[in-house]
Amino acid sequence: SMMTSVLRDSLGGNCMTTMIATLSVEKRNIEESISTCRFAQRVALIKNEATLNEELDPKLVVAKLQQQVADLKQEIIMATGEERTDELTNDEKTSVEQTVISYINDVNADSRLMLGPDTRKIQLGFCIMKRMILDKSHSVSPSESHQKEKRIESPPSSNE
């Protein structure tokens, strides 16, 4: 019918549709009123589940999927126990260094250093921390440095 073709997109699509049927009580419009009631009854049987049409930013979707792929790769490494031997990328090295620095600068004693299951990243994290410790120990005052040298040079006496 004409009404069905007008409402085609609303009745079967992704829409919330409300059917309001108006009838006439006059005898000359009885056929049209019956037809309207039948149409309203058929429309009432249609079940639509409207969902929100979202427009997603493709860059965000790609970034989210890339993160998901990285997470799944980490899970595979954990599950299989396979250690990767290829070199870390510069971005990965920078990320590990930033993570270690933020961990060291965190004043919360309960903070945790999370580098993931990749042993290459864990090893790099330890190297970065060792380098920071050694750099800090080299930056002591000259008098402390002289005392350290004496302690290192003088072997323990046999009388002690």
Side-chain angles (χ1 to χ4, degrees):
S1 74
M2 170 83 152
M3 189 66 113
T4 305
S5 61
V6 169
L7 296 173
R8 181 176 350 153
D9 292 334
S10 298
L11 293 177
N14 186 21
C15 298
M16 293 293 291
T17 306
T18 302
M19 175 65 195
I20 300 173
T22 56
L23 308 172
S24 174
V25 290
E26 292 185 23
K27 191 171 189 163
R28 62 186 171 110
N29 295 329
I30 194 78
E31 289 298 319
E32 190 65 32
S33 293
I34 291 172
S35 175
T36 301
C37 286
R38 286 185 183 137
F39 179 75
Q41 190 175 19
R42 286 194 313 271
V43 168
L45 297 175
I46 297 173
K47 300 293 181 202
N48 283 354
E49 290 191 29
T51 57
L52 181 63
N53 292 332
E54 294 181 34
E55 210 171 297
L56 300 174
D57 183 14
K59 291 178 183 176
L60 292 175
V61 172
V62 169
K64 183 178 178 182
L65 290 174
Q66 286 175 336
Q67 181 60 45
Q68 189 176 15
V69 167
D71 292 344
L72 290 172
K73 284 181 179 179
Q74 293 294 336
E75 284 185 34
I76 290 171
I77 291 170
M78 287 284 286
T80 60
E82 292 180 24
E83 183 178 334
R84 293 174 55 186
T85 57
D86 52 325
E87 188 69 28
L88 289 173
T89 65
N90 287 335
D91 289 340
E92 290 174 318
K93 290 177 182 177
T94 303
S95 173
V96 169
E97 187 169 8
Q98 289 172 347
T99 304
V100 169
I101 290 171
S102 68
Y103 169 74
I104 289 174
N105 292 331
D106 190 356
V107 295
N108 183 2
D110 295 330
S111 66
R112 300 177 78 194
L113 178 60
M114 303 299 286
L115 296 174
D118 191 345
T119 55
R120 299 171 306 157
K121 290 181 181 180
I122 295 169
Q123 288 296 334
L124 179 61
F126 278 118
C127 289
I128 291 169
M129 282 193 268
K130 184 174 183 176
R131 188 175 353 119
M132 293 172 87
I133 291 168
L134 290 175
D135 288 347
K136 194 171 190 174
S137 68
H138 290 301
S139 64
V140 294
S141 68
S143 64
E144 290 177 8
S145 176
H146 183 65
Q147 290 173 357
K148 281 185 182 179
E149 288 173 12
K150 280 187 175 180
R151 275 186 261 137
I152 293 172
E153 289 175 6
S154 57
S157 63
S158 57
N159 297 342
E160 292 178 12

